[in-house]
Amino acid sequence: MVHLPLGKALNFAMQRAMRDDDRVVVLGEDVGTLGGVFRVTDGLSVEFGPNRVFDTPLAESGIVGTAIGLALRGYRPVCEIQFDGFVYPAFDQIVSQLAKMRARSRGRVSLPVVIRIPAGGGIGAVEHHSESNEAYFAHTAGLRVVSCATAQDGYRLLRAAIASDDPVIFFEPKRRYWDKGEVDLDASPASLDRALVLRKGRDCTLIAHGPTVKLALAAAEAANEDGVLVGVVDLRSISPLDVETLRRCVAETGRAVVVHEASTFLGIGAEVAAAVTEGCFFALKAPVLRVGAYNLPYPPAKVEEEFLPDVDRVLVAIDRSLNFGRTPAHA
Amino acid sequence: MSTTTDRPSAAGPAPLRVQDPELQGPIRLVDADGRLTRRGRERPVDVDKACWLYRDMVLSRFLDREAVALQRQGELALWLQSEGQEAAQVGSVHALAAQDHIFPSYREHAVGLVRGLSPAELLSQWRGVAHAGWDPFERRYHFYSLVLGTQTLHAAGYALGCKLDGEDAVTVVYFGDGAASQGDVNEAFNWAATMSLPILFICQNNQWAISTPTTKQFSTPIHTRAAGFGLRTWWVDGNDALAVHAVTSEAVETIRAGRGPALIEAETYRVGGHSTSDDPNRYRTDEELESWRRRDPIARLRVVLEGLGVAPPWFEEVEEDGRALAVRTRQECQALHAPDLADLFSEVYADPHPVLQERAAYEAFAAMVEGGV
Ligand SMILES: Cc1ncc(C[n+]2csc(CCOP(=O)(O)OP(=O)(O)O)c2C)c(N)n1
Ligand SMILES: [Mg+2]
């Protein structure tokens, strides 16, 4: 066990994968000499050289498009998109090329490509550097979409993503890069499509992923002080959804609140709500509620804390769920 | 054409890349009437090779015309004609080695045919029974890309892989004059030049992108633009099969010699509509079409071959083979059946995925409907 920040754990995941398999290559903007703007690829170019770690031209479509060509040639490329808001120039290569090639070829061509995206807000950044755009990718068949929350889990999930023969969009909560945790570098890769039950509940279940997992745990802790026992599930896999685990946990409490940084409209919370409702309708004591960002373009950084969900908004939602259908006292 | 330098050598004719002083235009070895140009006379015609080029051009035209007929009769939903572009396609693919990997656009039926694809494979996409009708590795011929220009980046990545592997293979990618305006194509040029990749870009400039003429597409010729990116470039008469073949051989040789990426712009013309759904009369004149018909690549090479003593019965044999291919095309087309939707569920992901459970739901529903419940 080593004590590491998430960013370093992800770095180790790539390093170990590259040591184990010389077909694993890393490419992106400033990932070589600099080690990435968040230093997540730090040291890889020194250890593996310029034929395994590529500082590419500044062109996102090119990064993903050439990664597809490398994968066709038998490589396992790990791409870094510098920031969430800059993945859109590569959108076509991801949704029309990367996602579809296996189906188009009737299963003859697999593309083991990982696209790492530092995502989410909370770091006081300028515009286009704080987006939570996982839903765009989760809507596309042919992709797997993963979101990691902690150092240990980030390490295991990234190793699993690199080992997968499917394309994986891998979201990293950039505001948690510096959060430390115990990491077992010999731990087996995580299962790419299973949610993680972090806390058992009795009264309500919080469902979160990536940056909001920590938030959900804090809210559960606060609720506990009031005698409300709240469970927490970390989705980890956004596509596919681990519907089985979600239904089991929500059936135990009868109430669920989904918490994510993305705007609520057509966000992952909507899909979770539908899946849970369909799966355990009669166990539900209240509709599944969602706490996310307001449906606005990401605002200037000085107001991002009010824009993003926080512990109080989660506690209010838990209250709403617990009191659903009862006449409000002040009415 | 064994020389790999840009300077004229005593051993043979000057490399073609040096701009033809006679023409002030694209490299041409045979003029529109089938006469060898000055530069054409500088190098002996390999009759055997020329006969192969002729034969494959004729075969692909028969396939193309049969496919149009099949579309008119409702057997195909759509067909994108290659008529008129046979020299650009056959001439170039014949200059490649077996290990060279090709990324086509969507009109390179002649290239596919030369690489050994069957009519069934070429037609399946247009009959609506597949998105990509063949294995891309078997004949080193990737399937078609309909999103314009995307394949140029796949080719660049593939070429990078070849380079890392130290394989003596050139990656070849075809695209059109319209696609050249896409960001992906320009990213690929830049990528190839910056990383000095073993890749050959072949732009078939057929003068039109649906109804948009090249004058609305760019103000600098594609080969000039590509040179600006740092690619070695050739500009060739794309209706002159011998010139396309010679130029492609030269380009591939320089790439194999480790001298970096190259681009060939082949001036040609799409004689048919953009597709069987298109009405080209809305945007181009009969005179223009006629002027290009007079530059037909097949007729032109026939004159050369006749001049070299190839006798009429040989041409008749080739026509006969063409007719046989048309018959085969029709038979194979009609034998193409829709896939079973149930099978598609397992072809999206390599690793286990819950979408597999949807297959059972689909099959149960299909059985229920069939059972009349
Ligand atoms: C990204 C994209 N935009 C639009 C289209 C629709 N489209 C199909 S073919 C075509 C014209 C392409 O012209 P060109 O690249 O010159 O190739 P040609 O058809 O002449 O062979 C257009 C606009 C497309 N397939 N992809
Ligand atoms: Mg065109």
PDB file of all heavy atoms in Angstrom, chain A residues 153-176:
ATOM      1  N   ASP A 153      -9.426   3.582  -6.623  1.00  0.00           N
ATOM      2  CA  ASP A 153     -10.343   3.178  -7.665  1.00  0.00           C
ATOM      3  C   ASP A 153      -9.887   3.691  -9.032  1.00  0.00           C
ATOM      4  O   ASP A 153     -10.053   3.012 -10.041  1.00  0.00           O
ATOM      5  CB  ASP A 153     -11.739   3.715  -7.336  1.00  0.00           C
ATOM      6  CG  ASP A 153     -12.792   2.674  -7.642  1.00  0.00           C
ATOM      7  OD1 ASP A 153     -12.499   1.480  -7.416  1.00  0.00           O
ATOM      8  OD2 ASP A 153     -13.856   3.053  -8.132  1.00  0.00           O
ATOM      9  N   GLY A 154      -9.328   4.895  -9.042  1.00  0.00           N
ATOM     10  CA  GLY A 154      -8.815   5.440 -10.294  1.00  0.00           C
ATOM     11  C   GLY A 154      -7.755   4.524 -10.871  1.00  0.00           C
ATOM     12  O   GLY A 154      -7.749   4.217 -12.064  1.00  0.00           O
ATOM     13  N   TYR A 155      -6.861   4.058 -10.010  1.00  0.00           N
ATOM     14  CA  TYR A 155      -5.792   3.157 -10.456  1.00  0.00           C
ATOM     15  C   TYR A 155      -6.381   1.887 -11.059  1.00  0.00           C
ATOM     16  O   TYR A 155      -6.056   1.491 -12.181  1.00  0.00           O
ATOM     17  CB  TYR A 155      -4.884   2.805  -9.275  1.00  0.00           C
ATOM     18  CG  TYR A 155      -3.800   1.818  -9.642  1.00  0.00           C
ATOM     19  CD1 TYR A 155      -2.639   2.247 -10.279  1.00  0.00           C
ATOM     20  CD2 TYR A 155      -3.948   0.457  -9.372  1.00  0.00           C
ATOM     21  CE1 TYR A 155      -1.650   1.330 -10.646  1.00  0.00           C
ATOM     22  CE2 TYR A 155      -2.967  -0.453  -9.729  1.00  0.00           C
ATOM     23  CZ  TYR A 155      -1.820  -0.017 -10.363  1.00  0.00           C
ATOM     24  OH  TYR A 155      -0.845  -0.910 -10.726  1.00  0.00           O
ATOM     25  N   ARG A 156      -7.299   1.270 -10.334  1.00  0.00           N
ATOM     26  CA  ARG A 156      -7.854  -0.016 -10.801  1.00  0.00           C
ATOM     27  C   ARG A 156      -8.721   0.161 -12.044  1.00  0.00           C
ATOM     28  O   ARG A 156      -8.706  -0.668 -12.951  1.00  0.00           O
ATOM     29  CB  ARG A 156      -8.670  -0.663  -9.676  1.00  0.00           C
ATOM     30  CG  ARG A 156      -7.805  -1.077  -8.483  1.00  0.00           C
ATOM     31  CD  ARG A 156      -8.664  -1.718  -7.410  1.00  0.00           C
ATOM     32  NE  ARG A 156      -9.286  -2.948  -7.882  1.00  0.00           N
ATOM     33  CZ  ARG A 156     -10.467  -3.406  -7.457  1.00  0.00           C
ATOM     34  NH1 ARG A 156     -11.153  -2.719  -6.565  1.00  0.00           N
ATOM     35  NH2 ARG A 156     -10.954  -4.529  -7.925  1.00  0.00           N
ATOM     36  N   LEU A 157      -9.481   1.252 -12.089  1.00  0.00           N
ATOM     37  CA  LEU A 157     -10.356   1.455 -13.250  1.00  0.00           C
ATOM     38  C   LEU A 157      -9.551   1.782 -14.510  1.00  0.00           C
ATOM     39  O   LEU A 157      -9.873   1.309 -15.599  1.00  0.00           O
ATOM     40  CB  LEU A 157     -11.364   2.577 -12.975  1.00  0.00           C
ATOM     41  CG  LEU A 157     -12.537   2.203 -12.063  1.00  0.00           C
ATOM     42  CD1 LEU A 157     -13.301   3.461 -11.641  1.00  0.00           C
ATOM     43  CD2 LEU A 157     -13.486   1.215 -12.749  1.00  0.00           C
ATOM     44  N   LEU A 158      -8.502   2.582 -14.361  1.00  0.00           N
ATOM     45  CA  LEU A 158      -7.729   2.934 -15.556  1.00  0.00           C
ATOM     46  C   LEU A 158      -7.006   1.704 -16.099  1.00  0.00           C
ATOM     47  O   LEU A 158      -6.919   1.498 -17.307  1.00  0.00           O
ATOM     48  CB  LEU A 158      -6.751   4.076 -15.266  1.00  0.00           C
ATOM     49  CG  LEU A 158      -5.977   4.605 -16.488  1.00  0.00           C
ATOM     50  CD1 LEU A 158      -6.905   4.963 -17.655  1.00  0.00           C
ATOM     51  CD2 LEU A 158      -5.127   5.816 -16.106  1.00  0.00           C
ATOM     52  N   ARG A 159      -6.518   0.853 -15.178  1.00  0.00           N
ATOM     53  CA  ARG A 159      -5.883  -0.378 -15.651  1.00  0.00           C
ATOM     54  C   ARG A 159      -6.899  -1.235 -16.397  1.00  0.00           C
ATOM     55  O   ARG A 159      -6.597  -1.819 -17.438  1.00  0.00           O
ATOM     56  CB  ARG A 159      -5.283  -1.152 -14.485  1.00  0.00           C
ATOM     57  CG  ARG A 159      -4.156  -0.391 -13.829  1.00  0.00           C
ATOM     58  CD  ARG A 159      -2.921  -1.180 -13.572  1.00  0.00           C
ATOM     59  NE  ARG A 159      -2.466  -1.982 -14.692  1.00  0.00           N
ATOM     60  CZ  ARG A 159      -1.418  -2.798 -14.649  1.00  0.00           C
ATOM     61  NH1 ARG A 159      -0.729  -2.896 -13.529  1.00  0.00           N
ATOM     62  NH2 ARG A 159      -1.056  -3.500 -15.690  1.00  0.00           N
ATOM     63  N   ALA A 160      -8.119  -1.295 -15.876  1.00  0.00           N
ATOM     64  CA  ALA A 160      -9.161  -2.084 -16.545  1.00  0.00           C
ATOM     65  C   ALA A 160      -9.521  -1.465 -17.895  1.00  0.00           C
ATOM     66  O   ALA A 160      -9.753  -2.170 -18.878  1.00  0.00           O
ATOM     67  CB  ALA A 160     -10.397  -2.174 -15.659  1.00  0.00           C
ATOM     68  N   ALA A 161      -9.553  -0.138 -17.934  1.00  0.00           N
ATOM     69  CA  ALA A 161      -9.907   0.543 -19.193  1.00  0.00           C
ATOM     70  C   ALA A 161      -8.866   0.235 -20.266  1.00  0.00           C
ATOM     71  O   ALA A 161      -9.195  -0.029 -21.423  1.00  0.00           O
ATOM     72  CB  ALA A 161     -10.018   2.051 -18.954  1.00  0.00           C
ATOM     73  N   ILE A 162      -7.591   0.259 -19.876  1.00  0.00           N
ATOM     74  CA  ILE A 162      -6.529  -0.007 -20.851  1.00  0.00           C
ATOM     75  C   ILE A 162      -6.564  -1.474 -21.283  1.00  0.00           C
ATOM     76  O   ILE A 162      -6.279  -1.810 -22.429  1.00  0.00           O
ATOM     77  CB  ILE A 162      -5.145   0.373 -20.260  1.00  0.00           C
ATOM     78  CG1 ILE A 162      -5.089   1.879 -19.976  1.00  0.00           C
ATOM     79  CG2 ILE A 162      -4.019  -0.014 -21.216  1.00  0.00           C
ATOM     80  CD1 ILE A 162      -3.864   2.341 -19.182  1.00  0.00           C
ATOM     81  N   ALA A 163      -6.959  -2.339 -20.364  1.00  0.00           N
ATOM     82  CA  ALA A 163      -7.012  -3.770 -20.686  1.00  0.00           C
ATOM     83  C   ALA A 163      -8.226  -4.123 -21.545  1.00  0.00           C
ATOM     84  O   ALA A 163      -8.238  -5.154 -22.214  1.00  0.00           O
ATOM     85  CB  ALA A 163      -7.030  -4.594 -19.404  1.00  0.00           C
ATOM     86  N   SER A 164      -9.240  -3.266 -21.543  1.00  0.00           N
ATOM     87  CA  SER A 164     -10.464  -3.578 -22.284  1.00  0.00           C
ATOM     88  C   SER A 164     -10.224  -3.498 -23.787  1.00  0.00           C
ATOM     89  O   SER A 164      -9.485  -2.643 -24.264  1.00  0.00           O
ATOM     90  CB  SER A 164     -11.572  -2.595 -21.894  1.00  0.00           C
ATOM     91  OG  SER A 164     -12.691  -2.776 -22.749  1.00  0.00           O
ATOM     92  N   ASP A 165     -10.868  -4.368 -24.531  1.00  0.00           N
ATOM     93  CA  ASP A 165     -10.775  -4.318 -25.990  1.00  0.00           C
ATOM     94  C   ASP A 165     -11.777  -3.342 -26.596  1.00  0.00           C
ATOM     95  O   ASP A 165     -11.856  -3.196 -27.813  1.00  0.00           O
ATOM     96  CB  ASP A 165     -10.971  -5.717 -26.585  1.00  0.00           C
ATOM     97  CG  ASP A 165      -9.719  -6.554 -26.426  1.00  0.00           C
ATOM     98  OD1 ASP A 165      -8.619  -5.972 -26.394  1.00  0.00           O
ATOM     99  OD2 ASP A 165      -9.832  -7.794 -26.320  1.00  0.00           O
ATOM    100  N   ASP A 166     -12.571  -2.695 -25.751  1.00  0.00           N
ATOM    101  CA  ASP A 166     -13.536  -1.711 -26.232  1.00  0.00           C
ATOM    102  C   ASP A 166     -13.012  -0.298 -26.015  1.00  0.00           C
ATOM    103  O   ASP A 166     -12.189  -0.065 -25.128  1.00  0.00           O
ATOM    104  CB  ASP A 166     -14.855  -1.856 -25.463  1.00  0.00           C
ATOM    105  CG  ASP A 166     -15.547  -3.167 -25.785  1.00  0.00           C
ATOM    106  OD1 ASP A 166     -15.601  -3.519 -26.973  1.00  0.00           O
ATOM    107  OD2 ASP A 166     -16.026  -3.828 -24.844  1.00  0.00           O
ATOM    108  N   PRO A 167     -13.514   0.675 -26.780  1.00  0.00           N
ATOM    109  CA  PRO A 167     -13.151   2.071 -26.512  1.00  0.00           C
ATOM    110  C   PRO A 167     -13.752   2.530 -25.187  1.00  0.00           C
ATOM    111  O   PRO A 167     -14.907   2.244 -24.899  1.00  0.00           O
ATOM    112  CB  PRO A 167     -13.784   2.846 -27.672  1.00  0.00           C
ATOM    113  CG  PRO A 167     -14.445   1.871 -28.556  1.00  0.00           C
ATOM    114  CD  PRO A 167     -14.415   0.524 -27.935  1.00  0.00           C
ATOM    115  N   VAL A 168     -12.942   3.220 -24.400  1.00  0.00           N
ATOM    116  CA  VAL A 168     -13.406   3.696 -23.093  1.00  0.00           C
ATOM    117  C   VAL A 168     -13.165   5.201 -22.989  1.00  0.00           C
ATOM    118  O   VAL A 168     -12.056   5.681 -23.227  1.00  0.00           O
ATOM    119  CB  VAL A 168     -12.661   2.996 -21.938  1.00  0.00           C
ATOM    120  CG1 VAL A 168     -13.178   3.495 -20.588  1.00  0.00           C
ATOM    121  CG2 VAL A 168     -12.798   1.473 -22.025  1.00  0.00           C
ATOM    122  N   ILE A 169     -14.217   5.942 -22.641  1.00  0.00           N
ATOM    123  CA  ILE A 169     -14.057   7.365 -22.334  1.00  0.00           C
ATOM    124  C   ILE A 169     -13.902   7.428 -20.818  1.00  0.00           C
ATOM    125  O   ILE A 169     -14.799   7.020 -20.077  1.00  0.00           O
ATOM    126  CB  ILE A 169     -15.289   8.190 -22.773  1.00  0.00           C
ATOM    127  CG1 ILE A 169     -15.696   7.844 -24.211  1.00  0.00           C
ATOM    128  CG2 ILE A 169     -15.004   9.678 -22.633  1.00  0.00           C
ATOM    129  CD1 ILE A 169     -14.661   8.123 -25.262  1.00  0.00           C
ATOM    130  N   PHE A 170     -12.763   7.905 -20.385  1.00  0.00           N
ATOM    131  CA  PHE A 170     -12.392   7.801 -18.974  1.00  0.00           C
ATOM    132  C   PHE A 170     -12.360   9.189 -18.344  1.00  0.00           C
ATOM    133  O   PHE A 170     -11.471   9.996 -18.632  1.00  0.00           O
ATOM    134  CB  PHE A 170     -11.010   7.134 -18.879  1.00  0.00           C
ATOM    135  CG  PHE A 170     -10.646   6.683 -17.502  1.00  0.00           C
ATOM    136  CD1 PHE A 170     -10.998   5.419 -17.055  1.00  0.00           C
ATOM    137  CD2 PHE A 170      -9.946   7.516 -16.647  1.00  0.00           C
ATOM    138  CE1 PHE A 170     -10.664   4.994 -15.776  1.00  0.00           C
ATOM    139  CE2 PHE A 170      -9.609   7.102 -15.369  1.00  0.00           C
ATOM    140  CZ  PHE A 170      -9.969   5.837 -14.935  1.00  0.00           C
ATOM    141  N   PHE A 171     -13.351   9.467 -17.511  1.00  0.00           N
ATOM    142  CA  PHE A 171     -13.450  10.790 -16.886  1.00  0.00           C
ATOM    143  C   PHE A 171     -12.689  10.827 -15.560  1.00  0.00           C
ATOM    144  O   PHE A 171     -12.858   9.952 -14.713  1.00  0.00           O
ATOM    145  CB  PHE A 171     -14.914  11.164 -16.659  1.00  0.00           C
ATOM    146  CG  PHE A 171     -15.582  11.624 -17.923  1.00  0.00           C
ATOM    147  CD1 PHE A 171     -16.268  10.730 -18.735  1.00  0.00           C
ATOM    148  CD2 PHE A 171     -15.484  12.946 -18.326  1.00  0.00           C
ATOM    149  CE1 PHE A 171     -16.862  11.150 -19.924  1.00  0.00           C
ATOM    150  CE2 PHE A 171     -16.074  13.378 -19.507  1.00  0.00           C
ATOM    151  CZ  PHE A 171     -16.762  12.474 -20.307  1.00  0.00           C
ATOM    152  N   GLU A 172     -11.866  11.859 -15.429  1.00  0.00           N
ATOM    153  CA  GLU A 172     -11.082  12.047 -14.203  1.00  0.00           C
ATOM    154  C   GLU A 172     -11.524  13.361 -13.557  1.00  0.00           C
ATOM    155  O   GLU A 172     -11.505  14.405 -14.211  1.00  0.00           O
ATOM    156  CB  GLU A 172      -9.592  12.102 -14.560  1.00  0.00           C
ATOM    157  CG  GLU A 172      -9.141  10.842 -15.288  1.00  0.00           C
ATOM    158  CD  GLU A 172      -7.717  10.921 -15.839  1.00  0.00           C
ATOM    159  OE1 GLU A 172      -7.063  11.979 -15.677  1.00  0.00           O
ATOM    160  OE2 GLU A 172      -7.273   9.919 -16.430  1.00  0.00           O
ATOM    161  N   PRO A 173     -11.936  13.326 -12.281  1.00  0.00           N
ATOM    162  CA  PRO A 173     -12.410  14.546 -11.629  1.00  0.00           C
ATOM    163  C   PRO A 173     -11.214  15.436 -11.282  1.00  0.00           C
ATOM    164  O   PRO A 173     -10.516  15.194 -10.299  1.00  0.00           O
ATOM    165  CB  PRO A 173     -13.108  14.021 -10.376  1.00  0.00           C
ATOM    166  CG  PRO A 173     -12.424  12.719 -10.086  1.00  0.00           C
ATOM    167  CD  PRO A 173     -11.940  12.161 -11.386  1.00  0.00           C
ATOM    168  N   LYS A 174     -11.004  16.460 -12.091  1.00  0.00           N
ATOM    169  CA  LYS A 174      -9.737  17.194 -11.947  1.00  0.00           C
ATOM    170  C   LYS A 174      -9.592  17.850 -10.580  1.00  0.00           C
ATOM    171  O   LYS A 174      -8.499  17.978 -10.064  1.00  0.00           O
ATOM    172  CB  LYS A 174      -9.570  18.217 -13.096  1.00  0.00           C
ATOM    173  CG  LYS A 174     -10.587  19.322 -13.143  1.00  0.00           C
ATOM    174  CD  LYS A 174     -10.200  20.374 -14.168  1.00  0.00           C
ATOM    175  CE  LYS A 174     -10.741  20.138 -15.550  1.00  0.00           C
ATOM    176  NZ  LYS A 174     -12.176  20.443 -15.740  1.00  0.00           N
ATOM    177  N   ARG A 175     -10.717  18.183  -9.947  1.00  0.00           N
ATOM    178  CA  ARG A 175     -10.575  18.818  -8.631  1.00  0.00           C
ATOM    179  C   ARG A 175     -10.157  17.827  -7.543  1.00  0.00           C
ATOM    180  O   ARG A 175      -9.824  18.219  -6.431  1.00  0.00           O
ATOM    181  CB  ARG A 175     -11.870  19.532  -8.252  1.00  0.00           C
ATOM    182  CG  ARG A 175     -13.025  18.609  -7.959  1.00  0.00           C
ATOM    183  CD  ARG A 175     -13.961  19.253  -6.973  1.00  0.00           C
ATOM    184  NE  ARG A 175     -15.199  19.701  -7.584  1.00  0.00           N
ATOM    185  CZ  ARG A 175     -16.119  20.362  -6.915  1.00  0.00           C
ATOM    186  NH1 ARG A 175     -15.911  20.686  -5.659  1.00  0.00           N
ATOM    187  NH2 ARG A 175     -17.237  20.704  -7.497  1.00  0.00           N
ATOM    188  N   ARG A 176     -10.203  16.537  -7.867  1.00  0.00           N
ATOM    189  CA  ARG A 176      -9.782  15.509  -6.904  1.00  0.00           C
ATOM    190  C   ARG A 176      -8.391  14.945  -7.196  1.00  0.00           C
ATOM    191  O   ARG A 176      -7.950  14.012  -6.544  1.00  0.00           O
ATOM    192  CB  ARG A 176     -10.774  14.339  -6.898  1.00  0.00           C
ATOM    193  CG  ARG A 176     -12.234  14.724  -6.706  1.00  0.00           C
ATOM    194  CD  ARG A 176     -12.572  14.986  -5.245  1.00  0.00           C
ATOM    195  NE  ARG A 176     -13.982  15.307  -5.097  1.00  0.00           N
ATOM    196  CZ  ARG A 176     -14.436  16.424  -4.520  1.00  0.00           C
ATOM    197  NH1 ARG A 176     -13.601  17.318  -4.027  1.00  0.00           N
ATOM    198  NH2 ARG A 176     -15.743  16.642  -4.431  1.00  0.00           N
TER     199      ARG A 176
END
